[in-house]
Amino acid sequence: MSTAIHPMLNIAVKAARAAGSIINRAALDLDVLKVGSKGPNDFVTEVDRAAEQVIIETLLEAYPGHGILAEESGREHGSRDSEFVWIIDPLDGTTNFLHGFPVYAVSIALAHRGQVQQAVVYDPTRNDLFYASRGRGAYLNDRRLRVSKRTRLSDSLVGTGFPFRKGDNFKRYVKMFEEVMQSCAGLRRPGAAALDLCYVAAGHYDGFFETGLSPWDIAAGSLIITEAGGLIGNFTGEADFLYQREVVAGNPKVYGQLVQILAPYTRVIKEPEAAPATAAAQPDATDAFVAAAAPTPAAPAEKKRPTRIRKADLAKPGDAPM
């Protein structure tokens, strides 16, 4: 890793590697794991909790005044009123992990006033470390990442994630899946969104889309993509995606073509009078809480034209430099 790594990013890397060690040790003997369920097909293990605990302890030891938003413990830890919030998924791809399918990762992001500034995604099975600081580029281990250069969706490999929770709109997803599948060279669904986003940044995928994701699934990967020259947004191509439970990403050309296909399927509420939390817009209590810290939605993009996420979109006037 570069010696010029940002101090806050360095702490995130330390926390991710500590969590990865716990995950790798547990992977050696999956039969003894205690597994619980948060809902149908939505599992949590003692490994998720132990990995999350070591991440939180590492971060708060270094930055005791920061806030924490974590998948398993929500906002129980850290400061609730800090402008700095760590967004953590200790084990993205738990179902893969439980089956010994080696596609899962640790995801840690730091947001300042709702804007992601530092990001780490660690793949413990390959010892691959994806990381980015805003304005400083994205890296895999010591290699600078750039998105792919393919220009046609018909030549592109696209990643996705299947809906799996009770209440997910399967019929809507199948229609999207069918349209994209017939427009691209291939679709893949490994099952860990944090890694999927990093694969876009690394050029392994040319694009990616998924519904039903939470902020901790995509916060780190979103910065890694933009720092690698890619675009990420909601289905209508706007920069307001982190709390909207729909995301599309890709290199600039492929992103625009995916937005054209996916825009009719958006569930983002546009009207100001519809802004208060509803069952459709805020599916759970955690989302309702974090939505208060979400960035102000960007202006709607023109039809069929993707919105490029510029540095200006990623910071508000007066933001402290990171």
Side-chain angles (χ1 to χ4, degrees), residues 1 18 22 51 62 73 93 131 160 195 199 222 240 242 271 276 278 294 296 301:
M1 289 180 57
I22 290 172
S73 59
Y131 58 97
T160 188
L195 278 178
Y199 292 168
S222 67
D240 179 28
L242 195 58
E271 297 78 17
T278 65
T296 304

Side-chain angles (χ1 to χ4, degrees), residues 18 40 53 60 88 120 132 139 162-163 182 207 218 223 225 239 249 263 273 282-283 290 302 311 313:
Q53 183 178 351
L60 291 184
I88 301 162
V120 173
Y139 294 83
F162 301 151
Q182 294 181 67
I218 56 178
L223 180 65
I225 282 178
E273 61 270 22
Q282 303 295 343
V290 298
E302 293 181 28
K311 288 183 180 179
D313 298 319

Side-chain angles (χ1 to χ4, degrees), residues 216-233:
W216 46 77
D217 296 311
I218 56 178
S222 67
L223 180 65
I224 292 169
I225 282 178
T226 56
E227 288 296 320
L231 299 177
I232 184 166

Side-chain angles (χ1 to χ4, degrees), residues 267-314:
R267 289 299 173 89
V268 176
I269 295 173
K270 299 281 190 287
E271 297 78 17
E273 61 270 22
T278 65
Q282 303 295 343
D284 56 45
T286 301
D287 284 342
F289 182 88
V290 298
T296 304
E302 293 181 28
K303 190 175 180 181
K304 296 191 176 182
R305 290 185 62 190
T307 299
R308 176 178 292 276
I309 301 176
R310 305 175 303 274
K311 288 183 180 179
D313 298 319
L314 299 174

Side-chain angles (χ1 to χ4, degrees), residues 80 105 116-117 282 322:
R80 282 177 169 265
V116 178
Q117 305 282 346
Q282 303 295 343
M322 303 293 293

Side-chain angles (χ1 to χ4, degrees), residues 56-107:
I56 291 171
E57 288 175 354
T58 303
L59 298 177
L60 291 184
E61 182 182 5
Y63 301 105
H66 285 191
I68 300 285
L69 173 61
E71 178 172 14
E72 308 307 337
S73 59
R75 291 294 297 251
E76 293 175 14
H77 305 280
S79 171
R80 282 177 169 265
D81 54 5
S82 175
E83 292 184 345
F84 293 92
V85 178
W86 293 94
I87 306 173
I88 301 162
D89 191 340
L91 178 52
D92 183 34
T94 299
T95 301
N96 286 349
F97 172 76
L98 286 171
H99 289 81
F101 187 69
V103 181
Y104 42 84
V106 180
S107 178

Side-chain angles (χ1 to χ4, degrees), residues 14-26:
K14 179 182 176 182
R17 288 196 184 278
S21 294
I22 290 172
I23 293 165
N24 278 340
R25 284 198 300 272

